[in-house]
Amino acid sequence: MTRYIIRRILSMIPVLIFISLVTFALAHAVPGGPFDREKPLPAEIKANLNRYYGLDQPLWKQYTDWIGLTRNPSGEYAGVLQFKFGPSYSSRSRTVNDIFRAHLPVSAQLGFWALCIAVGMGVPLGIIAALKQNSFWDYFSMAIAIFGVSVPNIVLGPIFILIFALTLGWFPVAGWGTPAQMVMPAFALGLNSSALIARLTRASMLQVIREDYIRTARAKGLAERVVIIRHALKNAFIPVATILGPMFAALLTGTFVVEQIFAIPGMGKYFITSITNRDYPVVMGTTLLYAVFLVIANLIVDITYAYLDPRIHYE
Amino acid sequence: MAPLLQVRGLTTIFDTQDGVVHAVNGVSFDLNEGETLGVVGESGCGKSVSMLSILRLIPEPPGRIVGGEVLFEGRDLLKLDQNEIRKIRGNKIAMIFQDPMTSLNPVLTIGQQISEALELHLNMTKEEARQRTIELLRLVHIPEAESRVNDYPHQFSGGMRQRVMIAMALSCNPKVLIADEPTTALDVTIQAQIVDLVKELRRELGMAIIWITHDLGIVAGLAHRVQVMYAGYIVERANVHDLYANPRHPYTLGLLRSLPRLDARTREKLTPIEGLPPDLITLPLGCPFYPRCSYRVPRCLDENPALHAVDGQDGHEVACWVDVTQREEIRA
Ligand SMILES: Nc1ncnc2c1ncn2[C@@H]1O[C@H](COP(=O)(O)OP(=O)(O)OP(=O)(O)O)[C@@H](O)[C@H]1O
Ligand SMILES: [Mg+2]
């Protein structure tokens, strides 16, 4: 197992190199540059800025500078490899690292709670729906699931604000920091995924409870509760675990809309504005970071897999 | 002495989209202490459903037990509440199934799966249950039982898994073991080993066995009595010798004829029974075997014969209007 994990981590390197190349290429392929303004800057100033940030260098050199393989214009190795993601062109007083430090934890927190809601609601709903197939609870859970899948969070957010903040006054309209402020955004973000999980859990559970080994468990005289919890759940959860990795990454990166609606100072907002500003270091740093999250999340899922299903063996 | 298990008029149906499937139609039989009863019949004739109904293990819905009694230790199992029937399952009456590849939970170890019954029914501690599990694995001749107890089902071969199933079923010393085609999914040499194992365990533990199969060959060497099922009915029942030497139901005759015999002097042609079993949704008024029967008389079309004693043979019963020993077969 340890050897498998090491191998998997090693195999991430080419993936991340590839992603860094593509991000770099795409960021620079977008027409326009960071210092293009509606009222153009004087050519001299622009040239100075370009020189200062190394944008006058050949592209390959800009790339290796960013990665940290070559000395940047200030004569240091200060790139991704040194965990330095460079300066931000638009908020000049801060480096990309500063921005990450300030805003990433907010998005991560939002994503984490959304995932908790997704799993905490989706799994039980799916199980109830499967166990009480074609009953009120089944239809109820699946109605919630269909609602959750079909209503995007850009609609859900304002609905929540309207009902729970403005009408009922249970939660503050917007902002971030107190637990009460986290509730609505986390639900707005997580409901979609919880619906997805509920449907997957239901399908998987329905299949598992028809398996022969469930009949064997019942034939042993086990109580229905034990049959479900001990014999069915773990098996039913295996396919659900598969989507948790990409889902977490999606929740983390998909926070933009929700952050906008609820005025949350997270990473998503910065990411989008940095694209329109051609703030290359922020764009590339964020993309690369999310790529790392995704690969790691998938590795964790694969390890969980081996834990859930003893038939899976990693050599 | 009263029989250990008395089944009376057991009737089970399934509500399906196409209609009501009459899977078991008034099945009655006795099982005596220490006896092995064979149940044979073609696929779909209700062998599994009738036995699952005894322990109320058929899926409800779509299944429903609509009639009959199952008397065991003075109580009707069909009237017990969920808690009480669970105390019977796996404890007094245990069951093993056809496919050992799918009947064990892939994510739990063999040890976990065997000991949970011990902890439940015999109130053993974890450690006691573990020790007993190892003993049970030795009892069914699984080598290196101490270490294999921690293995998962996929680490065992099909035959070994069926041994595990048997160990699990016998863990609480049941009075009755119901074996639903436990050898069908195994290859021939393994089949023989499993049958030998069951015979050995029967000698040591003395439980009564209901052995379901569609292989008359296996049942010949194992059962004391055999009952033949067709379309949810029992059509013939006799002790094993009488059934083979003196079959009375045309269906039994057909089954025996389709069985290859090693002792046959001439190479007789095997004749499978022609035709298909009836649709269990629209059962005929008369004998369900009528369309395939080569002894049929007009009466069979209107009245379904009940199981009745065969003259001069103790315990031999048949459900047929015709005495097949007295009549010529109609050749098509
Ligand atoms: N869940 C179910 N829903 C509908 N019909 C069912 C269900 N289970 C069994 N049946 C029907 O009940 C009848 C008897 O089935 P059963 O499983 O008892 O046959 P069997 O004699 O055990 O056959 P086999 O040798 O194939 O195991 C079959 O015709 C089958 O179609
Ligand atoms: Mg069967």
Side-chain angles (χ1 to χ4, degrees):
Chain A
M1 193 59 163
T2 323
R3 274 181 50 199
Y4 168 77
I5 295 174
I6 293 173
R7 225 188 40 223
R8 276 290 297 271
I9 291 174
L10 289 180
S11 73
M12 282 177 194
I13 294 171
V15 174
L16 292 177
I17 290 177
F18 179 75
I19 290 173
S20 71
L21 271 170
V22 171
T23 329
F24 183 85
L26 282 179
H28 287 261
V30 179
F35 308 114
D36 294 337
R37 297 284 183 274
E38 260 168 58
K39 202 167 134 248
L41 293 172
E44 220 160 291
I45 294 178
K46 200 171 157 183
N48 260 334
L49 279 169
N50 279 344
R51 190 165 338 103
Y52 177 73
Y53 286 120
L55 295 173
D56 55 343
Q57 307 277 325
L59 271 182
W60 67 265
K61 177 71 166 49
Q62 291 186 37
Y63 176 74
T64 50
D65 282 357
W66 175 57
I67 294 295
L69 291 172
T70 47
R71 283 179 208 278
N72 64 12
S74 331
E76 320 163 40
Y77 293 101
V80 173
L81 288 178
Q82 290 82 26
F83 293 106
K84 292 198 174 115
F85 292 91
S88 163
Y89 301 156
S90 45
S91 39
R92 241 150 278 174
S93 56
R94 302 199 296 175
T95 64
V96 179
N97 288 47
D98 291 335
I99 293 173
F100 281 173
R101 249 194 304 277
H103 301 289
L104 208 58
V106 175
S107 290
Q109 231 178 343
L110 180 57
F112 173 77
W113 288 120
L115 190 74
C116 287
I117 287 166
V119 176
M121 258 175 65
V123 171
L125 277 180
I127 292 172
I128 293 170
L131 295 184
K132 310 263 180 221
Q133 199 192 356
N134 297 330
S135 72
F136 166 77
W137 284 106
D138 187 14
Y139 296 132
F140 177 73
S141 321
M142 286 307 107
I144 293 185
I146 288 168
F147 178 78
V149 168
S150 39
V151 181
N153 47 28
I154 197 163
V155 178
L156 215 53
I159 293 179
F160 278 2
I161 292 179
L162 204 65
I163 299 177
F164 299 109
L166 297 179
T167 311
L168 297 171
W170 291 355
F171 303 108
V173 173
W176 188 256
T178 66
Q181 283 172 321
M182 296 181 190
V183 175
M184 287 200 303
F187 268 95
L189 186 61
L191 203 69
N192 240 297
S193 312
S194 93
L196 218 72
I197 292 182
R199 293 210 305 186
L200 196 64
T201 307
R202 177 178 181 269
S204 162
M205 195 71 186
L206 276 179
Q207 203 202 331
V208 167
I209 52 177
R210 281 184 179 71
E211 295 282 347
D212 287 350
Y213 54 79
I214 296 300
R215 188 182 55 191
T216 307
R218 293 206 175 104
K220 256 184 262 189
L222 298 176
E224 199 55 26
R225 180 176 38 88
V226 182
V227 173
I228 297 302
I229 294 175
R230 196 173 146 96
H231 286 265
L233 269 190
K234 207 170 157 195
N235 283 292
F237 198 66
I238 292 171
V240 180
T242 323
I243 59 160
L244 287 186
M247 187 172 276
F248 182 58
L251 287 178
L252 208 61
T253 50
T255 53
F256 169 65
V257 172
V258 173
E259 284 173 10
Q260 284 288 338
I261 295 173
F262 293 95
I264 295 166
M267 207 48 229
K269 197 176 138 178
Y270 256 89
F271 186 48
I272 304 294
T273 39
S274 67
I275 293 174
T276 41
N277 287 342
R278 311 284 180 275
D279 199 344
Y280 299 147
V282 177
V283 176
M284 297 188 301
T286 316
T287 312
L288 199 59
L289 206 66
Y290 281 165
V292 173
F293 284 152
L294 185 63
V295 209
I296 291 178
N298 278 329
L299 175 61
I300 292 175
V301 163
D302 285 349
I303 295 170
T304 317
Y305 236 36
Y307 162 76
L308 286 174
D309 189 346
R311 285 166 297 187
I312 294 175
H313 251 285
Y314 298 127
E315 291 309 321
Chain B
M1 199 171 58
L4 182 62
L5 183 73
Q6 287 176 288
V7 178
R8 294 284 169 265
L10 186 63
T11 308
T12 305
I13 60 170
F14 289 94
D15 296 308
T16 67
Q17 283 177 343
D18 304 327
V20 177
V21 177
H22 299 271
V24 178
N25 302 305
V27 161
S28 302
F29 64 91
D30 290 347
L31 181 72
N32 298 309
E33 204 103 31
E35 175 189 44
T36 299
L37 174 69
V39 179
V40 297
E42 278 168 299
S43 189
C45 70
K47 304 183 297 292
S48 301
V49 172
S50 55
M51 297 310 148
L52 287 168
S53 300
I54 291 176
L55 281 177
R56 304 202 342 231
L57 283 172
I58 55 161
E60 296 180 44
R64 199 144 47 92
I65 303 172
V66 290
E69 337 183 277
V70 177
L71 300 173
F72 177 74
E73 297 186 332
R75 292 190 296 175
D76 182 357
L77 298 189
L78 301 185
K79 295 212 174 69
L80 297 185
D81 67 29
Q82 283 298 328
N83 268 326
E84 287 173 319
I85 186 76
R86 278 204 291 267
K87 284 184 194 139
I88 303 281
R89 290 179 191 154
N91 185 21
K92 299 285 176 67
I93 304 180
M95 199 156 176
I96 54 179
F97 300 99
Q98 176 167 349
D99 194 347
M101 303 313 243
T102 56
S103 294
L104 288 164
N105 192 330
V107 304
L108 298 175
T109 65
I110 298 303
Q112 288 171 321
Q113 295 186 59
I114 299 179
S115 33
E116 65 184 348
L118 296 165
E119 290 166 33
L120 175 73
H121 296 300
L122 307 182
N123 294 319
M124 288 190 179
T125 64
K126 279 222 147 45
E127 189 46 39
E128 287 166 349
R130 194 188 142 79
Q131 287 310 320
R132 173 86 180 119
T133 301
I134 293 171
E135 280 168 31
L136 283 162
L137 291 179
R138 288 209 192 98
L139 189 71
V140 296
H141 306 304
I142 287 180
E144 294 157 55
E146 294 86 353
S147 59
R148 304 241 49 190
V149 69
N150 297 322
D151 283 353
Y152 289 93
H154 73 272
Q155 291 162 292
F156 289 78
S157 67
M160 283 294 160
R161 283 190 220 186
Q162 201 56 291
R163 284 170 192 264
V164 171
M165 285 295 290
I166 293 172
M168 193 151 91
L170 297 180
S171 58
C172 300
N173 272 317
K175 289 259 167 62
V176 181
L177 172 68
I178 301 175
D180 188 354
E181 308 199 37
T183 58
T184 309
L186 306 173
D187 63 45
V188 182
T189 45
I190 310 290
Q191 277 185 10
Q193 291 172 10
I194 295 292
V195 171
D196 286 344
L197 174 69
V198 170
K199 283 186 186 168
E200 176 190 329
L201 294 170
R202 181 175 67 183
R203 253 195 327 274
E204 285 174 34
L205 308 172
M207 70 282 185
I209 300 175
I210 298 176
W211 189 280
I212 303 176
T213 179
H214 40 225
D215 186 339
L216 277 164
I218 288 185
V219 113
L222 192 68
H224 302 115
R225 286 192 303 143
V226 181
Q227 61 191 17
V228 181
M229 283 189 75
Y230 189 78
Y233 296 96
I234 293 174
V235 294
E236 182 164 12
R237 170 162 56 222
N239 70 49
V240 69
H241 177 265
D242 288 344
L243 191 91
Y244 286 79
N246 198 356
R248 290 304 181 97
H249 197 284
Y251 177 62
T252 318
L253 281 169
L255 280 183
L256 287 171
R257 232 178 253 149
S258 60
L259 192 71
R261 295 184 66 111
L262 287 175
D263 59 350
R265 256 161 258 129
T266 54
R267 285 181 143 261
E268 276 177 73
K269 227 176 105 198
L270 292 176
T271 41
I273 310 170
E274 279 183 28
L276 292 170
D279 178 6
L280 296 175
I281 293 176
T282 47
L283 276 176
L285 180 67
C287 174
F289 191 58
Y290 181 84
R292 301 166 80 183
C293 185
S294 44
Y295 291 89
R296 61 193 178 202
V297 293
R299 187 181 186 187
C300 308
L301 205 50
D302 304 320
E303 289 174 79
N304 190 10
L307 206 58
H308 56 85
V310 172
D311 287 342
Q313 283 183 24
D314 203 20
H316 195 160
E317 292 164 281
V318 67
C320 185
W321 295 122
V322 178
D323 184 349
V324 293
T325 58
Q326 301 297 317
R327 267 184 71 97
E328 280 296 303
E329 209 172 330
I330 328 162
R331 284 281 174 197

